[in-house]
Amino acid sequence: MRTRPVVMLAWEGCQVLDVTGPAEVFSVAAALTGGDAYDVRIASLDGDDVVSTSGVRIGVETAIGDI
């Protein structure tokens, strides 16, 4: 099975559940299929970490333009 990239876009003031919920679904799906079905990454507009509406900092791997 080939690995499919999945990118979650996080932005300043987003709701943390809107980013982490879908990321968790794809991560669990990957684990249930042997660990390599999905490559889940979190991106922001500029590649910097963002802070959600609840004040939780979300770590970002890359800028959306680099994908």
Side-chain angles (χ1 to χ4, degrees), residues 7 41-48 60-64 66-67:
V7 179
R41 299 171 68 191
I42 298 177
S44 68
L45 295 176
D46 58 8
D48 292 337
V60 170
E61 296 178 54
T62 189
I64 194 71
D66 293 339
I67 295 175

Side-chain angles (χ1 to χ4, degrees), residues 24-54:
E24 187 68 19
V25 169
F26 282 103
S27 293
V28 169
L32 292 174
T33 58
D36 61 355
Y38 300 101
D39 175 28
V40 180
R41 299 171 68 191
I42 298 177
S44 68
L45 295 176
D46 58 8
D48 292 337
D49 291 354
V50 298
V51 178
S52 71
T53 54
S54 62

